[in-house]
Structure formats: C-alpha cells, structure tokens
Amino acid sequence: MSLLWTSEALVAAMDGRPLGPMPEGISGISIDSRSLQPGDAFFAIKGEAMDGHDFVTAAIKAGAGVLVVAEGKLPSLGRLTAPIIVVEDVLVALEKLGVAARTRSQAKIIAVTGSAGKTTTKEALRHVLSAVGKVHASAQSFNNHWGVPLTLARMPDDCDYAVFEIGMNHPDEIRPLVKMVRPHVAIVTMIAAAHLGFFRNLDEIAKAKAEIFEGLEPGGAAVLNRDDARFKLLDKMAHAAGVEHVYGFGENARATFKLTKCELHADHSDIAARIGGHDMIARIGAPGRHMVQNVLAVLGAAQLVGADLDKVALALVDLSAERGRGKRHVLRHPGGSTSSHPGPITLIDESYNANPASMGAAMALLNATPVTGEGRRIAVLGDMLELGDHSAKLHAALADLIVGTGTRTVFLGGPEMRALAEALPGDIKTEYRSGAEELKPVLLAALKPGDVVMIKSSKGIGFAKLVDALLGKFPAETTTSKLT
Ligand SMILES: Nc1ncnc2c1ncn2[C@@H]1O[C@H](COP(=O)(O)OP(=O)(O)OP(=O)(O)O)[C@@H](O)[C@H]1O
Ligand SMILES: [Mg+2]
C-alpha cells in the first residue's frame, strides 16, 4: 500500500488529537462512506443535507483506516473500533491538510474556472499531461468549498502536474479556494450566463471569476479566452491583481495561443494552431467548436508548465466526450434496415448541465452531425436552472439559436421551457411537456431510424433519465463516443 499521508504528518498538518493506536498512514481520503476504499481516512464533513458523523459506522465497515471527527460530536459517537483523529472542525482540518499538501508539492499547478467547460478542460489537461508525467486532478466537478480542499489533500507528494477545477455561485467563493491552490497557471474558459440568478449581469460574473488571479503564484500566468466579450475586463483585472503574464487563446489575431485552421467533423476536429510561437497541427478526438476552444487553453497551459507540446498534441486524438458532456451512442432501431429508413439512431448525451452558452455549443454539435436517410436532427431540451429573473428571457432567446440550425423537431420539458415553446415559430415541430417523465413516452414513440437526438438540460431537471430510457429501449450498435 502506498501511503498518501503518514499518520504523523496527518495529525501534525491538522493540529489533531489522535485517539487510539494510529496506523502507519492512510492511502486515500474519503468524505463518502459509499465510495470509501479500505485504508482511506474518513473525514466526517457536515454538508447541507447530511452530516458525515452519522456515517462513521458505515465508514468503519467499509475499511476506513482513520476517522477524522469533530471534538463536539465525539461524545455522541459512542465506542468506535477504528483509530480517530479529533479536530475542532472537520472542514477546517481538511483545508489545513490541503494547504500542507500544496506546501510539500513540487508539481506545476493549473487552476480552471469559467462559466462552462471547466470539467471538460480539466479532464483534457489530465489526459494530455498524463502523456508527459504524473498528474493529479479534481474528481468529477469537485470545485467548491469542500471539493477544492479535498482535491488538494488527495494530491500525492510526487506528482508532476496537478489540475484543479474551481467554481462558484456567488462572489467571494473563488478567492479563498485559489489561495489554497496557489496555481502557476489560471485558465478562465469563458464568461456566460450561468448561475446568473446570483448576479446582476455578465460583468459581475466576470469579476467573480477574476478572483482566481488573486491566488496565482508570483510569476504565474493567466490564460484567457481572447474571443470572449469580457476578455478586456478580465485582462484589466488580472493586471490589477498583479499578474504580469496574461495570455489569450482563440481565433483573435492577437491571441498568443491562436487557432489558425479548424475543420469540424461529426466525431472529431482537425486543427492547426500557433502556440506561443510554436506551429502545430492536431486531431482532437472529441467533436465540437467548444472543444476546440477548450483545447487551445489546454495547449497554452501545457506550454506554460513546460510540457512537451508534440507529445501533448498527439494525445489529443484520444480525447473522448464524457457521459452527460457530449458522449455519443449509436443505437439500433428495430426498423433501421429498410431502404427509406436506413441507419441507426445517434444519441448525443448532454444531460449533465445547461446554460445559454453550453446550449449554443450543443446545438452546434447537433447541427454538425449527419443524419441518414430520412432521419431528423432532434433537440430534446430541458430547463436551464439558476438564471433568476433572466430565466424566461434567456429560455425564449433559444428560439433564434434553434431557427439558425438545421433542427426542425424539438422536444421541450420543464416549467422554464414553456417560454421557449411559446417563442418557437410554427414551422418548428414542437412537443412541450412539464417534465422529463411526461416527455419520455412522447419522445420514445417519435424516434425513427437515422435520427440524431441531442438531449440537454440542467442536471436538476433530470434529463439523464431520458438518456437512460433511450439506452434501455434501443440496443447499442457501438458504445464508443466515436461514430464508426
Ligand atoms: N468552452 C465552452 N464554451 C461553451 N460551452 C462549453 C464549453 N466547453 C464545454 N461546453 C458545454 O458545457 C457543457 C458542460 O461542460 P463542463 O461540464 O465541462 O462545464 P463545467 O464548467 O465544468 O460545469 P459545472 O459548473 O457544472 O461544473 C458541455 O457538455 C458542453 O455542452
Ligand atoms: Mg464541472
């Protein structure tokens, strides 16, 4: 078993009080007894709905090597059969451990924020940097007040690169997180109306994202979207925060990480780019214009942390879209072999999240995917959440986006999508239902061989259920993210 932390270092970093004989160390860190691996330390974090202290017995059963619990909760826990480290506050202890992990690390650190594309960019960095060294990166979208310290505390002491996703719903959330992470490179993917419910306008969102510059290491670099309307504002804010090196990525002539050629295909993209004076070509294994944009940031950051760009570029071919973020399924339809209805159904699973920017990216993806025979391009869209007072207007505005694409068949679900249903012109065939459950039978009955279906909504609206329903009804022709 390789040790992430010795017990001695763990206790010292957290200023904890060990109870009982300690193991030599721990192999990992868990805050969820269901995914805990034997030998992990279990941190009993108090969340919004649950308190980890209620799960210490489950954590012991799952093989926890050590429990980290709060002094105040200790009396109510009874006799525990695992070693314990008692701390004042478990989340604060996790933060302290995260800070200790950062202090001992020699890794080049990259932080990623933005309104869309954080996880996609983080995963792309994990993938390409793995071709040139040992990489540690955030799990899933662990980007908040517990996700960031957890990712830090999990960072092994011998990794060469570490990639952190940092997110926010409110001002002042990113600042304390980035000060723990202390990145060498900070990427802002783009600014758009996500979580707009908590902000007055997009400038306010940009200002909250700009907090990421305040944690950059001295001499560090900001990597910003040169094509984004708020580039200048972010550039100004980066300089105001004392950042000396600010670079742009994108199509703009003044971008340091510049796209010079771009061919979009249904299942991949071919690009040429000039990355800080280095000309290169690459094939990106995951499709979409938004993916190209994310890759430019990836290439720029990779160069800034000293990675071998040729190896990084080669690794891009193996990128694949993930579940909920553009993953493709090619499904067999029972009627799919007749001459008027040849071909399978192509399902594009975008069910993980949605905001106006990512709706644009996903509709472009749908538009670029070929149909077969009499197949149609079908958009299945659910509510975009957390848009506050702007919600109805932003949902209705998707009508222009849809009219501008080759999609003429639309299924809509969720209370907010009613505004779009009302705004769509008569020549777009529209089915509106109040939610995913109600939409399911209508959608399943309507699909024909050759159709391309893109399903997208905010996670809370539950359109992942529609993806599962399609996967349940139509067997997979191939399960890869690529069309063959
Ligand atoms: N650069 C981009 N511009 C616009 N849309 C994008 C971009 N990158 C990804 N997307 C879209 O956003 C969706 C979500 O991507 P991703 O999960 O990477 O975002 P995120 O910023 O991590 O979101 P969250 O705030 O939920 O963690 C993707 O499925 C895709 O549709
Ligand atoms: Mg994410």
Side-chain angles (χ1 to χ4, degrees):
M1 179 177 84
S2 75
L3 291 182
L4 176 63
W5 293 97
T6 64
S7 288
E8 199 184 345
L10 192 62
V11 169
M14 302 189 301
D15 225 352
R17 181 165 67 83
L19 281 184
M22 287 289 127
E24 191 192 342
I26 55 155
S27 48
I29 294 179
S30 170
I31 60 167
D32 185 335
S33 59
R34 291 165 301 180
S35 53
L36 184 139
Q37 297 296 311
D40 281 357
F42 177 70
F43 279 65
I45 302 276
K46 193 170 169 354
E48 267 165 37
M50 313 258 213
D51 185 341
H53 292 94
D54 296 334
F55 298 92
V56 288
T57 314
I60 296 171
K61 264 204 200 121
V66 174
L67 307 171
V68 181
V69 303
E71 189 79 62
K73 295 277 178 176
L74 193 58
S76 63
L77 295 178
R79 248 179 63 80
L80 297 172
T81 53
I84 299 173
I85 301 175
V86 186
V87 297
E88 184 74 25
D89 179 301
V90 180
L91 182 59
V92 172
L94 186 65
E95 290 170 0
K96 286 181 181 168
L97 189 61
V99 168
R102 178 65 185 91
T103 305
R104 74 178 181 176
S105 177
Q106 299 294 313
K108 289 285 185 191
I109 312 266
I110 303 171
V112 184
T113 195
S115 301
K118 296 181 289 297
T119 301
T120 311
T121 303
K122 180 257 299 177
E123 288 302 325
L125 278 165
R126 183 208 297 273
H127 175 77
V128 299
L129 292 174
S130 295
V132 292
K134 179 169 174 178
V135 185
H136 174 67
S138 316
Q140 301 167 50
S141 280
F142 284 9
N143 63 25
N144 63 4
H145 63 284
W146 56 261
V148 172
L150 176 62
T151 307
L152 266 175
R154 284 175 168 174
M155 180 162 66
D157 61 358
D158 62 345
C159 57
D160 304 302
Y161 306 100
V163 190
F164 291 83
E165 175 168 338
I166 304 186
M168 60 100 196
N169 296 327
H170 299 96
D172 303 323
E173 261 183 273
I174 290 182
R175 185 177 302 107
L177 300 177
V178 74
K179 286 191 172 173
M180 287 180 229
V181 171
R182 292 196 284 119
H184 300 101
V185 176
I187 298 175
V188 183
T189 58
M190 54 113 60
I191 302 295
H195 313 300
L196 191 57
F198 304 107
F199 293 91
R200 267 181 310 180
N201 52 44
L202 292 182
D203 281 1
E204 297 295 312
I205 292 184
K207 282 179 195 159
K209 302 281 181 205
E211 291 170 22
I212 200 162
F213 308 134
E214 296 177 42
L216 264 179
E217 281 287 85
V223 174
L224 308 178
N225 190 329
R226 195 69 186 71
D227 302 332
D228 193 286
R230 280 162 189 82
F231 170 78
K232 289 217 170 93
L233 175 61
L234 287 172
D235 182 35
K236 207 171 91 189
M237 296 201 66
H239 283 105
V243 179
E244 290 162 49
H245 307 291
V246 182
Y247 303 110
F249 65 90
E251 261 176 318
N252 189 293
R254 274 179 285 183
T256 311
F257 311 124
K258 183 176 158 31
L259 186 68
T260 51
K261 225 166 123 184
C262 178
E263 279 178 27
L264 301 176
H265 300 276
D267 62 343
H268 69 276
S269 301
D270 288 322
I271 63 163
R274 170 161 266 246
I275 304 300
H278 182 105
D279 282 314
M280 56 182 299
I281 54 167
R283 170 161 292 188
I284 306 168
R289 181 65 182 77
H290 64 287
M291 191 58 87
V292 171
Q293 197 73 13
N294 295 337
V295 159
L296 292 172
V298 165
L299 290 170
Q303 190 191 49
L304 290 170
V305 296
D308 179 332
L309 268 194
D310 293 328
K311 288 190 182 149
V312 162
L314 273 180
L316 289 171
V317 74
D318 301 321
L319 274 187
S320 57
E322 293 184 44
R323 199 180 150 80
R325 296 188 187 84
K327 187 174 170 77
R328 276 161 199 252
H329 301 268
V330 182
L331 307 174
R332 205 171 333 127
H333 191 289
S337 52
T338 63
S339 56
S340 62
H341 288 305
I345 294 173
T346 303
L347 165 63
I348 305 172
D349 173 10
E350 279 275 348
S351 60
Y352 178 74
N353 81 3
N355 59 48
S358 68
M359 279 289 187
M363 286 303 296
L365 210 56
L366 174 60
N367 208 33
T369 307
V371 297
T372 47
E374 292 170 18
R376 304 154 296 172
R377 290 196 180 82
I378 300 175
V380 183
L381 309 178
D383 287 2
M384 306 180 286
L385 299 178
E386 294 187 9
L387 295 177
D389 296 344
H390 310 263
S391 184
K393 200 176 78 204
L394 290 169
H395 280 82
L398 294 177
D400 289 343
L401 179 71
I402 291 167
V403 168
T405 65
T407 297
R408 289 293 168 268
T409 310
V410 178
F411 290 83
L412 304 175
E416 300 298 310
M417 274 297 169
R418 187 179 283 280
L420 174 57
E422 284 163 7
L424 279 169
D427 63 330
I428 308 262
K429 194 171 171 308
T430 306
E431 290 283 357
Y432 171 80
R433 295 292 185 280
S434 54
E437 258 334 305
E438 293 76 12
L439 202 54
K440 190 161 78 180
V442 196
L443 175 65
L444 287 176
L447 292 180
K448 295 197 186 115
D451 285 345
V452 181
V453 192
M454 191 274 291
I455 298 183
K456 188 165 186 73
S457 75
S458 282
K459 200 169 159 200
I461 288 295
F463 271 31
K465 274 187 246 154
L466 296 177
V467 172
D468 291 341
L470 259 72
L471 296 179
K473 176 165 178 184
F474 303 106
E477 203 135 83
T478 153
T479 51
T480 69
S481 63
K482 308 239 167 89
L483 294 172
T484 47

PDB file of all heavy atoms in Angstrom, residues 123-137 160-161 163 307 311-312 315:
ATOM      1  N   GLU A 123     -10.395  17.764 -17.548  1.00  0.00           N
ATOM      2  CA  GLU A 123     -10.183  16.368 -17.960  1.00  0.00           C
ATOM      3  C   GLU A 123      -9.249  16.286 -19.170  1.00  0.00           C
ATOM      4  O   GLU A 123      -8.454  15.357 -19.280  1.00  0.00           O
ATOM      5  CB  GLU A 123     -11.518  15.673 -18.252  1.00  0.00           C
ATOM      6  CG  GLU A 123     -12.329  15.365 -17.002  1.00  0.00           C
ATOM      7  CD  GLU A 123     -11.584  14.480 -15.989  1.00  0.00           C
ATOM      8  OE1 GLU A 123     -10.811  13.594 -16.385  1.00  0.00           O
ATOM      9  OE2 GLU A 123     -11.769  14.707 -14.773  1.00  0.00           O
ATOM     10  N   ALA A 124      -9.349  17.251 -20.071  1.00  0.00           N
ATOM     11  CA  ALA A 124      -8.437  17.259 -21.228  1.00  0.00           C
ATOM     12  C   ALA A 124      -6.999  17.477 -20.752  1.00  0.00           C
ATOM     13  O   ALA A 124      -6.063  16.832 -21.238  1.00  0.00           O
ATOM     14  CB  ALA A 124      -8.854  18.338 -22.224  1.00  0.00           C
ATOM     15  N   LEU A 125      -6.823  18.356 -19.779  1.00  0.00           N
ATOM     16  CA  LEU A 125      -5.474  18.575 -19.229  1.00  0.00           C
ATOM     17  C   LEU A 125      -4.963  17.315 -18.547  1.00  0.00           C
ATOM     18  O   LEU A 125      -3.804  16.936 -18.702  1.00  0.00           O
ATOM     19  CB  LEU A 125      -5.494  19.743 -18.233  1.00  0.00           C
ATOM     20  CG  LEU A 125      -5.421  21.129 -18.865  1.00  0.00           C
ATOM     21  CD1 LEU A 125      -5.826  22.192 -17.849  1.00  0.00           C
ATOM     22  CD2 LEU A 125      -4.017  21.419 -19.402  1.00  0.00           C
ATOM     23  N   ARG A 126      -5.848  16.662 -17.768  1.00  0.00           N
ATOM     24  CA  ARG A 126      -5.435  15.425 -17.103  1.00  0.00           C
ATOM     25  C   ARG A 126      -4.931  14.420 -18.158  1.00  0.00           C
ATOM     26  O   ARG A 126      -3.883  13.813 -18.013  1.00  0.00           O
ATOM     27  CB  ARG A 126      -6.623  14.805 -16.354  1.00  0.00           C
ATOM     28  CG  ARG A 126      -6.243  13.551 -15.566  1.00  0.00           C
ATOM     29  CD  ARG A 126      -7.430  12.603 -15.418  1.00  0.00           C
ATOM     30  NE  ARG A 126      -8.556  13.101 -14.679  1.00  0.00           N
ATOM     31  CZ  ARG A 126      -8.707  13.018 -13.345  1.00  0.00           C
ATOM     32  NH1 ARG A 126      -7.768  12.463 -12.617  1.00  0.00           N
ATOM     33  NH2 ARG A 126      -9.788  13.483 -12.775  1.00  0.00           N
ATOM     34  N   HIS A 127      -5.722  14.337 -19.232  1.00  0.00           N
ATOM     35  CA  HIS A 127      -5.405  13.355 -20.262  1.00  0.00           C
ATOM     36  C   HIS A 127      -4.077  13.678 -20.968  1.00  0.00           C
ATOM     37  O   HIS A 127      -3.204  12.822 -21.061  1.00  0.00           O
ATOM     38  CB  HIS A 127      -6.558  13.309 -21.266  1.00  0.00           C
ATOM     39  CG  HIS A 127      -6.280  12.419 -22.420  1.00  0.00           C
ATOM     40  ND1 HIS A 127      -6.353  11.050 -22.326  1.00  0.00           N
ATOM     41  CD2 HIS A 127      -5.882  12.691 -23.682  1.00  0.00           C
ATOM     42  CE1 HIS A 127      -6.019  10.525 -23.484  1.00  0.00           C
ATOM     43  NE2 HIS A 127      -5.736  11.499 -24.323  1.00  0.00           N
ATOM     44  N   VAL A 128      -3.918  14.897 -21.433  1.00  0.00           N
ATOM     45  CA  VAL A 128      -2.710  15.186 -22.230  1.00  0.00           C
ATOM     46  C   VAL A 128      -1.456  15.232 -21.357  1.00  0.00           C
ATOM     47  O   VAL A 128      -0.384  14.791 -21.771  1.00  0.00           O
ATOM     48  CB  VAL A 128      -2.826  16.485 -23.066  1.00  0.00           C
ATOM     49  CG1 VAL A 128      -3.967  16.374 -24.062  1.00  0.00           C
ATOM     50  CG2 VAL A 128      -2.962  17.735 -22.217  1.00  0.00           C
ATOM     51  N   LEU A 129      -1.587  15.746 -20.142  1.00  0.00           N
ATOM     52  CA  LEU A 129      -0.394  15.830 -19.282  1.00  0.00           C
ATOM     53  C   LEU A 129       0.035  14.443 -18.801  1.00  0.00           C
ATOM     54  O   LEU A 129       1.210  14.228 -18.472  1.00  0.00           O
ATOM     55  CB  LEU A 129      -0.649  16.777 -18.102  1.00  0.00           C
ATOM     56  CG  LEU A 129      -0.813  18.253 -18.483  1.00  0.00           C
ATOM     57  CD1 LEU A 129      -1.207  19.089 -17.262  1.00  0.00           C
ATOM     58  CD2 LEU A 129       0.463  18.816 -19.120  1.00  0.00           C
ATOM     59  N   SER A 130      -0.905  13.496 -18.786  1.00  0.00           N
ATOM     60  CA  SER A 130      -0.546  12.127 -18.410  1.00  0.00           C
ATOM     61  C   SER A 130       0.440  11.520 -19.417  1.00  0.00           C
ATOM     62  O   SER A 130       1.115  10.546 -19.107  1.00  0.00           O
ATOM     63  CB  SER A 130      -1.785  11.239 -18.320  1.00  0.00           C
ATOM     64  OG  SER A 130      -2.606  11.693 -17.275  1.00  0.00           O
ATOM     65  N   ALA A 131       0.491  12.103 -20.618  1.00  0.00           N
ATOM     66  CA  ALA A 131       1.446  11.615 -21.619  1.00  0.00           C
ATOM     67  C   ALA A 131       2.864  12.068 -21.299  1.00  0.00           C
ATOM     68  O   ALA A 131       3.834  11.552 -21.864  1.00  0.00           O
ATOM     69  CB  ALA A 131       1.041  12.113 -23.007  1.00  0.00           C
ATOM     70  N   VAL A 132       3.009  13.027 -20.401  1.00  0.00           N
ATOM     71  CA  VAL A 132       4.348  13.574 -20.129  1.00  0.00           C
ATOM     72  C   VAL A 132       4.723  13.547 -18.642  1.00  0.00           C
ATOM     73  O   VAL A 132       5.808  14.001 -18.262  1.00  0.00           O
ATOM     74  CB  VAL A 132       4.493  15.029 -20.666  1.00  0.00           C
ATOM     75  CG1 VAL A 132       4.460  15.053 -22.181  1.00  0.00           C
ATOM     76  CG2 VAL A 132       3.402  15.943 -20.116  1.00  0.00           C
ATOM     77  N   GLY A 133       3.876  13.028 -17.776  1.00  0.00           N
ATOM     78  CA  GLY A 133       4.239  12.999 -16.358  1.00  0.00           C
ATOM     79  C   GLY A 133       3.114  12.460 -15.505  1.00  0.00           C
ATOM     80  O   GLY A 133       2.075  12.037 -16.006  1.00  0.00           O
ATOM     81  N   LYS A 134       3.342  12.489 -14.201  1.00  0.00           N
ATOM     82  CA  LYS A 134       2.312  12.010 -13.266  1.00  0.00           C
ATOM     83  C   LYS A 134       1.364  13.165 -12.933  1.00  0.00           C
ATOM     84  O   LYS A 134       1.818  14.244 -12.529  1.00  0.00           O
ATOM     85  CB  LYS A 134       2.989  11.484 -11.992  1.00  0.00           C
ATOM     86  CG  LYS A 134       1.988  10.994 -10.963  1.00  0.00           C
ATOM     87  CD  LYS A 134       2.614  10.231  -9.810  1.00  0.00           C
ATOM     88  CE  LYS A 134       1.552   9.903  -8.769  1.00  0.00           C
ATOM     89  NZ  LYS A 134       2.023   9.140  -7.641  1.00  0.00           N
ATOM     90  N   VAL A 135       0.081  12.924 -13.103  1.00  0.00           N
ATOM     91  CA  VAL A 135      -0.915  14.004 -12.969  1.00  0.00           C
ATOM     92  C   VAL A 135      -1.911  13.691 -11.850  1.00  0.00           C
ATOM     93  O   VAL A 135      -2.356  12.562 -11.703  1.00  0.00           O
ATOM     94  CB  VAL A 135      -1.717  14.175 -14.285  1.00  0.00           C
ATOM     95  CG1 VAL A 135      -2.663  15.366 -14.190  1.00  0.00           C
ATOM     96  CG2 VAL A 135      -0.787  14.347 -15.466  1.00  0.00           C
ATOM     97  N   HIS A 136      -2.255  14.710 -11.095  1.00  0.00           N
ATOM     98  CA  HIS A 136      -3.354  14.629 -10.138  1.00  0.00           C
ATOM     99  C   HIS A 136      -4.389  15.665 -10.563  1.00  0.00           C
ATOM    100  O   HIS A 136      -4.028  16.764 -10.963  1.00  0.00           O
ATOM    101  CB  HIS A 136      -2.827  14.953  -8.731  1.00  0.00           C
ATOM    102  CG  HIS A 136      -3.908  15.041  -7.699  1.00  0.00           C
ATOM    103  ND1 HIS A 136      -4.646  13.952  -7.312  1.00  0.00           N
ATOM    104  CD2 HIS A 136      -4.372  16.096  -6.981  1.00  0.00           C
ATOM    105  CE1 HIS A 136      -5.520  14.332  -6.395  1.00  0.00           C
ATOM    106  NE2 HIS A 136      -5.382  15.618  -6.172  1.00  0.00           N
ATOM    107  N   ALA A 137      -5.673  15.312 -10.496  1.00  0.00           N
ATOM    108  CA  ALA A 137      -6.708  16.281 -10.890  1.00  0.00           C
ATOM    109  C   ALA A 137      -7.975  16.055 -10.083  1.00  0.00           C
ATOM    110  O   ALA A 137      -8.207  14.970  -9.546  1.00  0.00           O
ATOM    111  CB  ALA A 137      -7.007  16.155 -12.387  1.00  0.00           C
ATOM    112  N   ASP A 160       3.811  15.386 -10.953  1.00  0.00           N
ATOM    113  CA  ASP A 160       4.493  16.437 -11.729  1.00  0.00           C
ATOM    114  C   ASP A 160       3.545  17.592 -12.051  1.00  0.00           C
ATOM    115  O   ASP A 160       3.972  18.738 -12.177  1.00  0.00           O
ATOM    116  CB  ASP A 160       5.010  15.847 -13.053  1.00  0.00           C
ATOM    117  CG  ASP A 160       5.922  14.655 -12.816  1.00  0.00           C
ATOM    118  OD1 ASP A 160       6.932  14.840 -12.123  1.00  0.00           O
ATOM    119  OD2 ASP A 160       5.598  13.545 -13.285  1.00  0.00           O
ATOM    120  N   TYR A 161       2.270  17.243 -12.221  1.00  0.00           N
ATOM    121  CA  TYR A 161       1.274  18.259 -12.579  1.00  0.00           C
ATOM    122  C   TYR A 161       0.008  18.027 -11.747  1.00  0.00           C
ATOM    123  O   TYR A 161      -0.320  16.889 -11.439  1.00  0.00           O
ATOM    124  CB  TYR A 161       0.882  18.159 -14.067  1.00  0.00           C
ATOM    125  CG  TYR A 161       2.052  18.209 -15.010  1.00  0.00           C
ATOM    126  CD1 TYR A 161       2.571  17.039 -15.554  1.00  0.00           C
ATOM    127  CD2 TYR A 161       2.639  19.421 -15.355  1.00  0.00           C
ATOM    128  CE1 TYR A 161       3.652  17.078 -16.420  1.00  0.00           C
ATOM    129  CE2 TYR A 161       3.720  19.471 -16.221  1.00  0.00           C
ATOM    130  CZ  TYR A 161       4.226  18.295 -16.754  1.00  0.00           C
ATOM    131  OH  TYR A 161       5.297  18.345 -17.605  1.00  0.00           O
ATOM    132  N   VAL A 163      -4.172  19.525 -11.590  1.00  0.00           N
ATOM    133  CA  VAL A 163      -5.177  20.364 -12.255  1.00  0.00           C
ATOM    134  C   VAL A 163      -6.402  20.466 -11.357  1.00  0.00           C
ATOM    135  O   VAL A 163      -6.974  19.455 -10.963  1.00  0.00           O
ATOM    136  CB  VAL A 163      -5.596  19.753 -13.614  1.00  0.00           C
ATOM    137  CG1 VAL A 163      -6.440  20.760 -14.387  1.00  0.00           C
ATOM    138  CG2 VAL A 163      -4.387  19.312 -14.423  1.00  0.00           C
ATOM    139  N   ALA A 307       5.432  21.446 -20.570  1.00  0.00           N
ATOM    140  CA  ALA A 307       5.211  20.104 -21.123  1.00  0.00           C
ATOM    141  C   ALA A 307       5.661  20.056 -22.589  1.00  0.00           C
ATOM    142  O   ALA A 307       5.629  21.068 -23.280  1.00  0.00           O
ATOM    143  CB  ALA A 307       3.735  19.740 -21.023  1.00  0.00           C
ATOM    144  N   LYS A 311       4.159  15.845 -27.760  1.00  0.00           N
ATOM    145  CA  LYS A 311       3.516  14.693 -27.103  1.00  0.00           C
ATOM    146  C   LYS A 311       2.090  15.051 -26.676  1.00  0.00           C
ATOM    147  O   LYS A 311       1.165  14.248 -26.787  1.00  0.00           O
ATOM    148  CB  LYS A 311       4.316  14.266 -25.863  1.00  0.00           C
ATOM    149  CG  LYS A 311       5.624  13.598 -26.223  1.00  0.00           C
ATOM    150  CD  LYS A 311       6.258  12.971 -24.994  1.00  0.00           C
ATOM    151  CE  LYS A 311       7.590  12.352 -25.369  1.00  0.00           C
ATOM    152  NZ  LYS A 311       8.552  12.367 -24.288  1.00  0.00           N
ATOM    153  N   VAL A 312       1.930  16.256 -26.181  1.00  0.00           N
ATOM    154  CA  VAL A 312       0.605  16.722 -25.754  1.00  0.00           C
ATOM    155  C   VAL A 312      -0.357  16.730 -26.943  1.00  0.00           C
ATOM    156  O   VAL A 312      -1.487  16.240 -26.857  1.00  0.00           O
ATOM    157  CB  VAL A 312       0.729  18.124 -25.126  1.00  0.00           C
ATOM    158  CG1 VAL A 312      -0.611  18.824 -25.062  1.00  0.00           C
ATOM    159  CG2 VAL A 312       1.349  18.020 -23.745  1.00  0.00           C
ATOM    160  N   ALA A 315      -1.572  13.333 -27.954  1.00  0.00           N
ATOM    161  CA  ALA A 315      -2.530  12.732 -27.014  1.00  0.00           C
ATOM    162  C   ALA A 315      -3.956  13.224 -27.255  1.00  0.00           C
ATOM    163  O   ALA A 315      -4.922  12.576 -26.844  1.00  0.00           O
ATOM    164  CB  ALA A 315      -2.105  13.030 -25.577  1.00  0.00           C
TER     165      ALA A 315
END
